[in-house]
Amino acid sequence: MAIAVNLYYTGTNGSARKFAQEMVSTGTVNQIRAEAGNLRYEYFFPMDDPETVLLIDAWQDQAAIDAHHASP
């Protein structure tokens, strides 16, 4: 059974968007997407809240999430 996690990152002065951009530009997002069991890892920006970022993070099962959380 797949597990989807929706996380909201909120900051000030654009820090949440800068965080998401850094995750993409450093290749971290691609590394996470390549992990065994990852089904989806995407950032979205709410149109009415420039200080919030939504991460949709989906995994094949709890074991895949646990392995991800144990990774560097």
Side-chain angles (χ1 to χ4, degrees), residues 3 12 16 20 22 27 29 31-33 51 54 64 71:
I3 300 170
T12 57
E22 182 178 316
V29 167
Q31 292 173 351
I32 293 168
R33 288 177 178 157
E51 298 299 339
L54 167 64
S71 70

Side-chain angles (χ1 to χ4, degrees), residues 14-69:
S15 62
R17 287 186 184 216
K18 288 176 189 172
F19 166 75
Q21 290 167 343
E22 182 178 316
M23 292 288 287
V24 172
S25 68
T26 61
T28 302
V29 167
N30 286 334
Q31 292 173 351
I32 293 168
R33 288 177 178 157
E35 290 181 27
N38 182 264
L39 303 174
R40 183 177 192 184
Y41 193 92
E42 296 183 74
Y43 292 102
F44 295 90
F45 305 107
M47 292 178 63
D48 62 346
D49 185 355
E51 298 299 339
T52 297
V53 173
L54 167 64
L55 167 62
I56 298 178
D57 191 13
W59 297 87
Q60 183 176 350
D61 53 27
Q62 187 62 49
I65 294 173
D66 293 344
H68 167 66
H69 287 161

